[in-house]
Amino acid sequence: MAENIVLEKLDRVFEAARAKTDFEPRVGLVLGSGLGDFAKEINVEYELPYSEIDGFPVSTVPGHDGKFIFGYLGGVPVVCMKGRVHYYEGYDISDVVLPIKLMIRMGIKTLFLTNAAGGLGEGFSAGDLMLITDHISVFVPNPLIGPNDDSAGPRFPDMSEVYDKGIRDKILKISYENDIPLESGVYCQLTGPSYETPAEIRMLKAMGVSAVGMSTVVEAIVAKHYAVKVCGISCICNLAAGISKNPLSHEEVQAAADEAAPKFTRLVSEVIKTM
Ligand code: HPA
């Protein structure tokens, strides 16, 4: 899609959202599987279902609701995305990142990404949390393809530190202080929807990947382009194919995400309160 069409759509959804609420969030939080109940932590000011925004992409995945939740977490104005859309659902990549651009247009200065992922890092177990230190994007379309939005950033944006070092250090400190074990590693986004083969997992392992999933990276690239600070945590919901002894299933992923939810929620909320 040409960038002017993409930008016009962003203008339209921004106006539609602003017609509903003038809330100005400082932090945007994308809730992956298992963090669905995070909204309980928030002093909710306004909820905006994606379906109420004309032309907005709506998730088709079971367990992925779709709405923005605006409110305060320990005094910090936040917007949460409860549910995201994925490339494998058939949306154009520009639609997959449209919600991120909308949150940026609404004023966020930091984007906090979370997801459910398969783990392949040494010593990882299902239920672990992993701080994302870097990513590999080469298996999915780059969301910046098309005419450059010069108001966002340069044509060839630097990606040498997508996940903000200062925030990463803070997350490590908070996890330590709260006795919440936290792994660190590189996340790789693949398109899905099929899970990986054992051979693909061996390839990713050789590339230095510790967690694999079907989201997050394209969102991080867009935010980085807009000079919004980015951080991310994966919930390792299963060991990746070939490492796990069992066939992978969405139900297993969701069950592990639900089990890790209390510590995940605690860590994310303690971090956001400091932002
Ligand atoms: N692979 C890809 N995406 C995933 C996985 C996985 O093993 N687990 C949760 N999301």
Side-chain angles (χ1 to χ4, degrees):
M1 228 193 291
E3 188 64 31
N4 55 352
I5 298 174
V6 172
L7 282 178
E8 279 164 21
K9 187 162 184 181
L10 177 59
D11 287 345
R12 275 202 311 278
V13 300
F14 176 67
E15 271 156 33
R18 272 287 171 251
K20 303 268 187 185
T21 176
D22 56 8
F23 193 87
E24 290 199 9
R26 189 187 316 154
V27 177
L29 172 65
V30 181
L31 302 174
S33 305
L35 271 186
D37 283 342
F38 191 84
K40 288 197 200 113
E41 305 295 305
I42 294 169
N43 250 327
V44 177
E45 290 273 312
Y46 190 74
E47 295 196 347
L48 178 57
Y50 303 153
S51 57
E52 287 185 15
I53 308 174
D54 214 21
F56 211 70
V58 177
S59 174
T60 59
V61 186
H64 287 249
D65 264 12
K67 61 182 169 189
F68 287 113
I69 301 163
F70 297 91
Y72 293 90
L73 185 65
V76 178
V78 298
V79 54
C80 288
M81 276 179 65
K82 185 162 190 234
R84 53 152 68 93
V85 294
H86 301 80
Y87 186 56
Y88 60 72
E89 292 176 73
Y91 289 107
D92 193 280
I93 204 74
S94 64
D95 274 336
V96 172
V97 296
L98 183 67
I100 303 296
K101 291 182 181 174
L102 176 58
M103 294 193 293
I104 294 171
R105 183 74 75 89
M106 293 186 92
I108 65 164
K109 301 289 178 268
T110 304
L111 178 65
F112 199 139
L113 296 165
T114 69
N115 60 46
L120 49 149
E122 254 347 283
F124 280 20
S125 313
D128 286 351
L129 301 181
M130 187 195 89
L131 178 66
I132 302 176
T133 55
D134 202 350
H135 72 219
I136 289 181
S137 74
V138 296
F139 301 110
V140 287
N142 193 297
L144 307 182
I145 289 174
N148 187 49
D149 175 6
D150 294 328
S151 71
R155 169 76 291 189
F156 303 108
D158 174 62
M159 292 282 146
S160 40
E161 189 188 303
V162 177
Y163 302 87
D164 186 84
K165 176 77 165 67
I167 302 180
R168 276 191 277 140
D169 287 346
K170 186 153 69 179
I171 293 174
L172 287 170
K173 182 164 175 278
I174 290 172
S175 71
Y176 181 76
E177 286 167 356
N178 285 273
D179 214 6
I180 300 169
L182 184 62
E183 304 283 352
S184 291
V186 173
Y187 176 91
C188 179
Q189 178 176 357
L190 301 184
T191 65
S194 48
Y195 288 118
E196 302 71 37
T197 63
E200 286 162 346
I201 293 301
R202 287 195 296 277
M203 172 193 74
L204 295 175
K205 207 170 164 92
M207 295 168 75
V209 171
S210 289
V212 60
M214 306 174 193
S215 68
T216 302
V217 168
V218 291
E219 299 161 356
I221 291 172
V222 166
K224 181 70 183 171
H225 189 220
Y226 278 89
V228 164
K229 287 187 177 177
V230 180
C231 64
I233 298 178
S234 292
C235 176
I236 304 299
C237 293
N238 57 279
L239 292 180
I243 302 175
S244 168
K245 289 180 185 57
N246 311 317
L248 308 190
S249 76
H250 184 56
E251 290 67 32
E252 177 203 3
V253 167
Q254 281 202 309
D258 290 344
E259 208 172 307
K263 66 176 176 183
F264 203 175
T265 300
R266 196 150 56 85
L267 179 57
V268 172
S269 54
E270 288 307 316
V271 172
I272 290 181
K273 282 176 196 165
T274 69
M275 285 175 160

